[in-house]
Amino acid sequence: VQKFASTNNRYFATETSLFPTEVYTGDIDYTDINIQQQMTGLFDTESGLLISNKYYAENTVNSWYTDFRQHANMTNISRSINPDSYYTYLSQFLLSDEGLSYKNDLIFDINDKGETVLIFTRTRFALKIGKTTNNRIDAMNSIRSTTDASGLSNTFAFGGQFTVFERDASVKN
């Protein structure tokens, strides 16, 4: 172990590490125009809150929502998908080659009206975090603040490493 640590630190150590992270959106009305605008505000790959976060690792976002919007020809961020057509476009997207890759990132259920609706989604990306405990805690808190700033209810950021960062934060305090 000592030989590994010495070799790794000497030849492969960097100032930052990449941490896989996800944003989860919950049971919200994805067809609602305001929700669509908030989703675009969070996930847009040119000006969204997520990519504007200083800890976001460039070009790592893997968002079903941004690819879905492109598939529906919604390239202007101010445009939204007609709520009555939303699930038709989403079905077409999920059957496309591009959409198939998101099969495990969207969870559907049947609502009270007997309609199939989205109840949970996942968007993946990486955080670029410095090696200190403070950097890691700051990055976790920053991405959570970014997610909160979107205004989307039932939405949160999480990564497997966050449990360790939470522990470090509680020990630090």
Side-chain angles (χ1 to χ4, degrees), residues 57-68:
E58 190 175 350
N59 298 319
T60 62
V61 70
N62 186 12
S63 171
W64 73 271
Y65 188 71
T66 53
D67 287 349
F68 168 49

Side-chain angles (χ1 to χ4, degrees), residues 18 26 34 44 69 73 85 121 136 147 171:
L18 296 181
N34 291 327
D44 184 67
R69 283 184 53 82
N73 293 317
S85 305
T121 75
R136 293 173 180 195
T147 304
V171 168

Side-chain angles (χ1 to χ4, degrees), residues 17-24 43 50 55-57 60-62 105 122-129 136 139-140 142-144 147 156-162 165:
S17 296
L18 296 181
F19 289 90
T21 309
E22 289 124 5
V23 169
Y24 295 92
F43 297 120
L50 183 62
Y55 295 102
Y56 167 76
T60 62
V61 70
N62 186 12
D105 293 328
R122 171 178 59 190
T123 295
R124 302 169 196 225
F125 61 99
L127 293 177
K128 183 173 58 177
I129 304 175
R136 293 173 180 195
M140 176 184 67
S142 178
I143 202 65
R144 286 179 172 168
T147 304
F156 62 94
F158 187 78
Q161 70 284 357
F162 281 19
F165 299 171

Side-chain angles (χ1 to χ4, degrees), residues 25-37:
T25 59
D27 195 5
I28 55 179
D29 182 1
Y30 292 90
T31 66
D32 182 271
I33 300 294
N34 291 327
I35 298 291
Q36 291 184 51
Q37 290 171 347

Side-chain angles (χ1 to χ4, degrees), residues 68 71-72 85-97 99-100:
F68 168 49
H71 185 81
S85 305
Y86 190 90
Y87 282 106
T88 300
Y89 282 120
L90 184 58
S91 293
Q92 292 169 357
F93 168 67
L94 292 175
L95 292 172
S96 71
D97 289 341
L100 284 173

